[in-house]
PDB file of all heavy atoms in Angstrom:
ATOM      1  N   HIS E 403      18.171  17.546  13.970  1.00  0.00           N
ATOM      2  CA  HIS E 403      18.598  16.848  15.204  1.00  0.00           C
ATOM      3  C   HIS E 403      17.420  16.249  15.964  1.00  0.00           C
ATOM      4  O   HIS E 403      17.636  15.444  16.872  1.00  0.00           O
ATOM      5  CB  HIS E 403      19.417  17.787  16.083  1.00  0.00           C
ATOM      6  CG  HIS E 403      18.612  18.868  16.732  1.00  0.00           C
ATOM      7  ND1 HIS E 403      18.327  20.074  16.069  1.00  0.00           N
ATOM      8  CD2 HIS E 403      18.050  18.960  17.951  1.00  0.00           C
ATOM      9  CE1 HIS E 403      17.597  20.808  16.868  1.00  0.00           C
ATOM     10  NE2 HIS E 403      17.412  20.195  18.024  1.00  0.00           N
ATOM     11  N   GLU E 404      16.199  16.592  15.607  1.00  0.00           N
ATOM     12  CA  GLU E 404      15.034  16.016  16.238  1.00  0.00           C
ATOM     13  C   GLU E 404      14.484  14.796  15.507  1.00  0.00           C
ATOM     14  O   GLU E 404      13.670  14.031  16.028  1.00  0.00           O
ATOM     15  CB  GLU E 404      13.890  17.046  16.304  1.00  0.00           C
ATOM     16  CG  GLU E 404      14.212  18.294  17.096  1.00  0.00           C
ATOM     17  CD  GLU E 404      13.196  19.393  16.916  1.00  0.00           C
ATOM     18  OE1 GLU E 404      12.525  19.443  15.870  1.00  0.00           O
ATOM     19  OE2 GLU E 404      13.072  20.222  17.839  1.00  0.00           O
ATOM     20  N   LEU E 405      14.935  14.624  14.285  1.00  0.00           N
ATOM     21  CA  LEU E 405      14.394  13.590  13.418  1.00  0.00           C
ATOM     22  C   LEU E 405      14.678  12.150  13.894  1.00  0.00           C
ATOM     23  O   LEU E 405      13.838  11.270  13.793  1.00  0.00           O
ATOM     24  CB  LEU E 405      14.925  13.700  11.994  1.00  0.00           C
ATOM     25  CG  LEU E 405      14.147  14.661  11.105  1.00  0.00           C
ATOM     26  CD1 LEU E 405      14.815  14.742   9.732  1.00  0.00           C
ATOM     27  CD2 LEU E 405      12.736  14.217  10.960  1.00  0.00           C
ATOM     28  N   GLN E 406      15.903  11.911  14.360  1.00  0.00           N
ATOM     29  CA  GLN E 406      16.267  10.522  14.667  1.00  0.00           C
ATOM     30  C   GLN E 406      15.314   9.890  15.657  1.00  0.00           C
ATOM     31  O   GLN E 406      14.928   8.737  15.508  1.00  0.00           O
ATOM     32  CB  GLN E 406      17.701  10.435  15.115  1.00  0.00           C
ATOM     33  CG  GLN E 406      17.979  11.161  16.398  1.00  0.00           C
ATOM     34  CD  GLN E 406      19.468  11.168  16.709  1.00  0.00           C
ATOM     35  OE1 GLN E 406      20.296  10.657  15.952  1.00  0.00           O
ATOM     36  NE2 GLN E 406      19.833  11.695  17.874  1.00  0.00           N
ATOM     37  N   TRP E 407      14.908  10.638  16.677  1.00  0.00           N
ATOM     38  CA  TRP E 407      13.979  10.068  17.668  1.00  0.00           C
ATOM     39  C   TRP E 407      12.647   9.757  17.069  1.00  0.00           C
ATOM     40  O   TRP E 407      12.060   8.693  17.290  1.00  0.00           O
ATOM     41  CB  TRP E 407      13.865  11.022  18.857  1.00  0.00           C
ATOM     42  CG  TRP E 407      12.883  10.589  19.890  1.00  0.00           C
ATOM     43  CD1 TRP E 407      11.715  11.187  20.217  1.00  0.00           C
ATOM     44  CD2 TRP E 407      12.958   9.430  20.707  1.00  0.00           C
ATOM     45  NE1 TRP E 407      11.063  10.487  21.188  1.00  0.00           N
ATOM     46  CE2 TRP E 407      11.801   9.378  21.527  1.00  0.00           C
ATOM     47  CE3 TRP E 407      13.866   8.392  20.865  1.00  0.00           C
ATOM     48  CZ2 TRP E 407      11.549   8.398  22.439  1.00  0.00           C
ATOM     49  CZ3 TRP E 407      13.639   7.405  21.795  1.00  0.00           C
ATOM     50  CH2 TRP E 407      12.488   7.399  22.570  1.00  0.00           C
ATOM     51  N   ARG E 408      12.103  10.685  16.256  1.00  0.00           N
ATOM     52  CA  ARG E 408      10.803  10.486  15.629  1.00  0.00           C
ATOM     53  C   ARG E 408      10.836   9.328  14.652  1.00  0.00           C
ATOM     54  O   ARG E 408       9.905   8.511  14.586  1.00  0.00           O
ATOM     55  CB  ARG E 408      10.340  11.745  14.917  1.00  0.00           C
ATOM     56  CG  ARG E 408       9.589  12.736  15.778  1.00  0.00           C
ATOM     57  CD  ARG E 408      10.478  13.490  16.631  1.00  0.00           C
ATOM     58  NE  ARG E 408       9.798  14.457  17.485  1.00  0.00           N
ATOM     59  CZ  ARG E 408      10.425  15.226  18.312  1.00  0.00           C
ATOM     60  NH1 ARG E 408      11.730  15.154  18.442  1.00  0.00           N
ATOM     61  NH2 ARG E 408       9.769  16.078  19.072  1.00  0.00           N
ATOM     62  N   ILE E 409      11.871   9.220  13.881  1.00  0.00           N
ATOM     63  CA  ILE E 409      12.007   8.124  12.906  1.00  0.00           C
ATOM     64  C   ILE E 409      12.175   6.793  13.651  1.00  0.00           C
ATOM     65  O   ILE E 409      11.602   5.774  13.245  1.00  0.00           O
ATOM     66  CB  ILE E 409      13.143   8.402  11.896  1.00  0.00           C
ATOM     67  CG1 ILE E 409      12.725   9.568  10.993  1.00  0.00           C
ATOM     68  CG2 ILE E 409      13.465   7.165  11.085  1.00  0.00           C
ATOM     69  CD1 ILE E 409      13.825  10.082  10.090  1.00  0.00           C
ATOM     70  N   ASN E 410      12.919   6.785  14.744  1.00  0.00           N
ATOM     71  CA  ASN E 410      13.044   5.586  15.548  1.00  0.00           C
ATOM     72  C   ASN E 410      11.695   5.127  16.090  1.00  0.00           C
ATOM     73  O   ASN E 410      11.382   3.920  16.107  1.00  0.00           O
ATOM     74  CB  ASN E 410      14.009   5.790  16.698  1.00  0.00           C
ATOM     75  CG  ASN E 410      15.461   5.741  16.281  1.00  0.00           C
ATOM     76  OD1 ASN E 410      15.788   5.175  15.247  1.00  0.00           O
ATOM     77  ND2 ASN E 410      16.333   6.344  17.062  1.00  0.00           N
ATOM     78  N   LEU E 411      10.884   6.085  16.567  1.00  0.00           N
ATOM     79  CA  LEU E 411       9.541   5.733  17.041  1.00  0.00           C
ATOM     80  C   LEU E 411       8.670   5.145  15.916  1.00  0.00           C
ATOM     81  O   LEU E 411       8.001   4.150  16.099  1.00  0.00           O
ATOM     82  CB  LEU E 411       8.877   6.974  17.651  1.00  0.00           C
ATOM     83  CG  LEU E 411       9.383   7.445  18.986  1.00  0.00           C
ATOM     84  CD1 LEU E 411       8.708   8.747  19.388  1.00  0.00           C
ATOM     85  CD2 LEU E 411       9.196   6.388  20.057  1.00  0.00           C
ATOM     86  N   PHE E 412       8.740   5.788  14.748  1.00  0.00           N
ATOM     87  CA  PHE E 412       7.968   5.325  13.633  1.00  0.00           C
ATOM     88  C   PHE E 412       8.391   3.915  13.211  1.00  0.00           C
ATOM     89  O   PHE E 412       7.589   3.028  12.996  1.00  0.00           O
ATOM     90  CB  PHE E 412       8.097   6.303  12.454  1.00  0.00           C
ATOM     91  CG  PHE E 412       7.324   5.907  11.231  1.00  0.00           C
ATOM     92  CD1 PHE E 412       5.955   5.973  11.202  1.00  0.00           C
ATOM     93  CD2 PHE E 412       8.000   5.444  10.095  1.00  0.00           C
ATOM     94  CE1 PHE E 412       5.235   5.593  10.081  1.00  0.00           C
ATOM     95  CE2 PHE E 412       7.292   5.085   8.969  1.00  0.00           C
ATOM     96  CZ  PHE E 412       5.920   5.153   8.974  1.00  0.00           C
ATOM     97  N   PHE E 413       9.727   3.717  13.103  1.00  0.00           N
ATOM     98  CA  PHE E 413      10.259   2.396  12.715  1.00  0.00           C
ATOM     99  C   PHE E 413       9.917   1.348  13.760  1.00  0.00           C
ATOM    100  O   PHE E 413       9.519   0.230  13.435  1.00  0.00           O
ATOM    101  CB  PHE E 413      11.758   2.524  12.510  1.00  0.00           C
ATOM    102  CG  PHE E 413      12.361   1.302  11.889  1.00  0.00           C
ATOM    103  CD1 PHE E 413      12.145   1.015  10.539  1.00  0.00           C
ATOM    104  CD2 PHE E 413      13.135   0.428  12.616  1.00  0.00           C
ATOM    105  CE1 PHE E 413      12.684  -0.117   9.955  1.00  0.00           C
ATOM    106  CE2 PHE E 413      13.693  -0.705  12.046  1.00  0.00           C
ATOM    107  CZ  PHE E 413      13.465  -0.955  10.713  1.00  0.00           C
ATOM    108  N   SER E 414      10.020   1.695  15.031  1.00  0.00           N
ATOM    109  CA  SER E 414       9.690   0.749  16.118  1.00  0.00           C
ATOM    110  C   SER E 414       8.197   0.398  16.093  1.00  0.00           C
ATOM    111  O   SER E 414       7.834  -0.757  16.352  1.00  0.00           O
ATOM    112  CB  SER E 414      10.025   1.366  17.467  1.00  0.00           C
ATOM    113  OG  SER E 414      11.413   1.586  17.543  1.00  0.00           O
ATOM    114  N   ALA E 415       7.351   1.352  15.775  1.00  0.00           N
ATOM    115  CA  ALA E 415       5.920   1.067  15.684  1.00  0.00           C
ATOM    116  C   ALA E 415       5.647   0.043  14.600  1.00  0.00           C
ATOM    117  O   ALA E 415       4.795  -0.836  14.767  1.00  0.00           O
ATOM    118  CB  ALA E 415       5.143   2.355  15.405  1.00  0.00           C
ATOM    119  N   SER E 416       6.375   0.129  13.479  1.00  0.00           N
ATOM    120  CA  SER E 416       6.165  -0.869  12.413  1.00  0.00           C
ATOM    121  C   SER E 416       6.629  -2.242  12.834  1.00  0.00           C
ATOM    122  O   SER E 416       6.035  -3.272  12.495  1.00  0.00           O
ATOM    123  CB  SER E 416       6.827  -0.436  11.128  1.00  0.00           C
ATOM    124  OG  SER E 416       8.230  -0.487  11.215  1.00  0.00           O
ATOM    125  N   ILE E 417       7.690  -2.314  13.621  1.00  0.00           N
ATOM    126  CA  ILE E 417       8.188  -3.583  14.128  1.00  0.00           C
ATOM    127  C   ILE E 417       7.184  -4.212  15.106  1.00  0.00           C
ATOM    128  O   ILE E 417       6.864  -5.388  15.051  1.00  0.00           O
ATOM    129  CB  ILE E 417       9.568  -3.445  14.791  1.00  0.00           C
ATOM    130  CG1 ILE E 417      10.609  -3.090  13.739  1.00  0.00           C
ATOM    131  CG2 ILE E 417       9.968  -4.681  15.547  1.00  0.00           C
ATOM    132  CD1 ILE E 417      11.959  -2.669  14.292  1.00  0.00           C
ATOM    133  N   ILE E 418       6.660  -3.376  15.990  1.00  0.00           N
ATOM    134  CA  ILE E 418       5.657  -3.854  16.958  1.00  0.00           C
ATOM    135  C   ILE E 418       4.387  -4.316  16.233  1.00  0.00           C
ATOM    136  O   ILE E 418       3.807  -5.368  16.566  1.00  0.00           O
ATOM    137  CB  ILE E 418       5.335  -2.764  17.998  1.00  0.00           C
ATOM    138  CG1 ILE E 418       6.587  -2.548  18.874  1.00  0.00           C
ATOM    139  CG2 ILE E 418       4.138  -3.123  18.835  1.00  0.00           C
ATOM    140  CD1 ILE E 418       6.546  -1.338  19.756  1.00  0.00           C
ATOM    141  N   ALA E 419       3.974  -3.558  15.235  1.00  0.00           N
ATOM    142  CA  ALA E 419       2.789  -3.950  14.437  1.00  0.00           C
ATOM    143  C   ALA E 419       3.016  -5.288  13.763  1.00  0.00           C
ATOM    144  O   ALA E 419       2.132  -6.150  13.709  1.00  0.00           O
ATOM    145  CB  ALA E 419       2.466  -2.888  13.423  1.00  0.00           C
ATOM    146  N   GLY E 420       4.255  -5.489  13.263  1.00  0.00           N
ATOM    147  CA  GLY E 420       4.571  -6.789  12.648  1.00  0.00           C
ATOM    148  C   GLY E 420       4.516  -7.923  13.647  1.00  0.00           C
ATOM    149  O   GLY E 420       4.082  -9.039  13.299  1.00  0.00           O
TER     150      GLY E 420
END
Side-chain angles (χ1 to χ4, degrees):
H403 70 276
E404 299 169 334
L405 274 178
Q406 64 186 3
W407 176 246
R408 272 77 180 180
I409 291 172
N410 283 338
L411 288 175
F412 180 71
F413 190 72
S414 297
S416 70
I417 292 170
I418 292 168

